[in-house]
Structures are given as C-alpha cells and as structure tokens.
Amino acid sequence: MCETCGCTITLDNRNLVHLSHPHEGTDAVTVLADLLAANDHQAQHNRAHFDAHRALAVNLMSSPGAGKTRLIEATIDALRGKYTMAVIEGDLETENDAERVRAKGVVAHQITTGTACHLDAHMVHDALHHLALDGVDIVFIENVGNLICPASFDLGQHWNVTLLAATEGDDKPAKYPVMFRAADLVLLTKIDLLPVLDDFEPARAEAALRNLASRAPLIPLSAKTGHGLDAWLDWLQRSASRRRSHDSERARMA
Ligand code: MG
C-alpha cells in the first residue's frame, strides 16, 4: 500500500507522527504500524457514532470514473421518501461531487484530501462533525477513486462496496486483489456499454473475483438505464433493515 508513495501520512493524521516519533530517523515500519493502529482506533469510534444513530455506513470504492457518484444519485432518486440518506464525498480537490448530491436534496460533506489518494478514519471523523445523523438511515462514504490505498483504511463503515466498470479491464480483480478481497459486494457498473465493448466479459470478471476466494455477491447494473438497480437497492435496504433490527434487539437486551 502506501509505504512507497508516503500517502499514509495525511494532513489529518500527521500530528500523530510528530507526537509519537519526535526524533529524526524513525523507523518507517514503526510509523506505519502506529498510524494504522491509530486509524483503526478512530474507525471504531466512527462506527460507534454510526451505530448510536442507527445509520448504515457504506464505503464506496473504485477506480476514478467507475460511476460511484452516479450510483449515489440514482440511489437517492430510487429511495427518496423511503430512506433518509447523507453522503461524505472524498476527492483530492473540488466540491463537484458534493454539489451533485446536494442538487438531489441530500446533505453532503466534501472532504478534499489534497495529495492523499484515500480517505482515512480521521478525515471521516472530522466530516462527521459537519453532518447531523439524527434520522439518517444510510450514510454513503464515496472514497477517493483508487483501487489500492482505500482498501487498507478502515473508516468505521459497516460494508465495503467496490465498483468495477465495464469500461475497465475484466482482470481488475486479479490485478488489485487487496481491494476486491475487501469488498463485501461488487457492482459491475456501466453494463449499458457492454454491446460496444468487445474486450470485457462479465464472466471473466466474476471468475477473477472468485479466484481470490471472494464470496461477495456481484451485481451487474447500469445507473444510466436502471437495469440491475433493483438488486443493488434490495441489498442496500436489507442491510439497512438488519442494522435497524440489530439495534432494536440490542436496545431490548439493554
Ligand atoms: Mg465521484
């Protein structure tokens, strides 16, 4: 992951490095281990925050341009009036995606990471200070478009959903195994383009996923035409319902 590019150290966690390793020549492996431990601690705190508000948190990951924001827009349209949603957006720069979500009438907070190619739990924690979760059923966290680093940082989400667009290679799961092993659900997006793509075979993409010993469901869909969207919405609504019933069960036992 980020040992070579150095992106593990972000604006939001760099203070941890200075606090725990004030001297020059600190061993890089120790710094990395400390940062990931601090990240996991913060992620647990974030998850407790989502749980306290009975909100399902879904981390959307993919390469850039696979259709994460478009999927969020289509999901908002489909579930409007049934579920209350909120969105945390992650990009290196711009408010563009948050503005697209707000245009749909849904609260969104944009994280701009600067140079960091992933979100971390500290960034999400800061974002949660800007999002009121009372009454929110589902929180989408749209990670930075990248098939490598985002898979290594727990944000406090309940589920990881990884998108693979038909415009990418069907061998992406083989090339980026850490990302696809981390996925609880894989969405094969932009399938409306399959008729004009002669080098993407959905069966090969699924075989590459199964070769990783992943049992994650794979749902082909097009947010543009709506084909396959129902399967994704079913998965999402079942997940949100389970979270609610889990919480009410816990409340009964308390
Ligand atoms: Mg986006």
Side-chain angles (χ1 to χ4, degrees):
M1 37 175 273
C2 315
E3 292 95 331
T4 40
C5 69
C7 68
T8 311
I9 300 170
T10 65
L11 282 174
D12 293 77
N13 70 12
R14 69 198 312 170
N15 63 308
L16 299 172
V17 178
H18 297 310
L19 284 172
S20 58
H21 299 280
H23 304 299
E24 293 293 325
T26 302
D27 179 65
V29 175
T30 306
V31 172
L32 182 66
D34 287 355
L35 284 174
L36 288 176
N39 185 80
D40 287 350
H41 181 76
Q42 182 63 68
Q44 291 300 332
H45 178 80
N46 294 350
R47 193 170 290 109
H49 185 72
F50 290 126
D51 288 344
H53 289 82
R54 306 175 66 179
L56 174 73
V58 178
N59 179 28
L60 296 170
M61 299 185 286
S62 76
S63 55
K68 297 183 295 301
T69 316
R70 184 71 187 88
L71 177 75
I72 290 171
E73 290 174 317
T75 304
I76 290 170
D77 286 341
L79 298 184
R80 191 186 307 281
K82 292 176 71 178
Y83 291 86
T84 302
M85 291 164 274
V87 180
I88 296 170
E89 288 285 351
D91 280 298
L92 269 64
E93 296 290 350
T94 85
E95 287 261 332
N96 292 355
D97 285 0
E99 285 171 1
R100 285 171 61 180
V101 171
R102 290 178 195 131
K104 293 283 183 186
V106 166
V107 173
H109 179 77
Q110 180 78 50
I111 299 171
T112 49
T113 64
T115 56
C117 56
H118 60 273
L119 295 180
D120 67 25
H122 300 282
M123 297 178 198
V124 171
H125 175 250
D126 180 64
L128 289 173
H129 283 293
H130 299 275
L131 278 184
L133 293 189
D134 293 330
V136 170
D137 302 299
I138 302 169
V139 179
F140 292 111
I141 305 169
E142 181 180 338
N143 218 310
V144 178
N146 177 356
L147 283 177
I148 306 171
C149 306
S152 299
F153 289 84
D154 185 1
L155 307 178
Q157 74 278 4
H158 298 108
W159 298 115
N160 283 329
V161 175
T162 299
L163 284 66
L164 169 61
T167 46
E168 304 177 59
D170 51 24
D171 59 353
K172 280 287 171 67
K175 288 180 173 174
Y176 299 93
V178 177
M179 170 58 70
F180 283 90
R181 279 200 190 99
D184 299 298
L185 172 71
V186 176
L187 301 178
L188 177 55
T189 59
K190 304 191 180 184
I191 59 165
D192 52 294
L193 296 175
L194 282 174
V196 296
L197 298 169
D198 58 9
D199 55 354
F200 191 103
E201 286 292 337
R204 279 206 299 260
E206 176 147 25
L209 181 66
R210 301 303 167 222
N211 279 343
L212 303 176
S214 167
R215 293 197 287 181
L218 187 147
I219 298 174
L221 62 81
S222 165
K224 182 178 179 182
T225 66
H227 185 86
L229 208 57
D230 283 350
W232 151 245
L233 296 172
D234 284 349
W235 181 92
L236 187 62
Q237 291 178 93
R238 275 188 280 111
S239 298
S241 297
R242 275 203 300 269
R243 179 129 302 278
R244 280 208 205 103
S245 58
H246 173 73
D247 287 339
S248 52
E249 179 74 18
R250 203 165 50 187
R252 274 200 302 275
M253 293 170 67

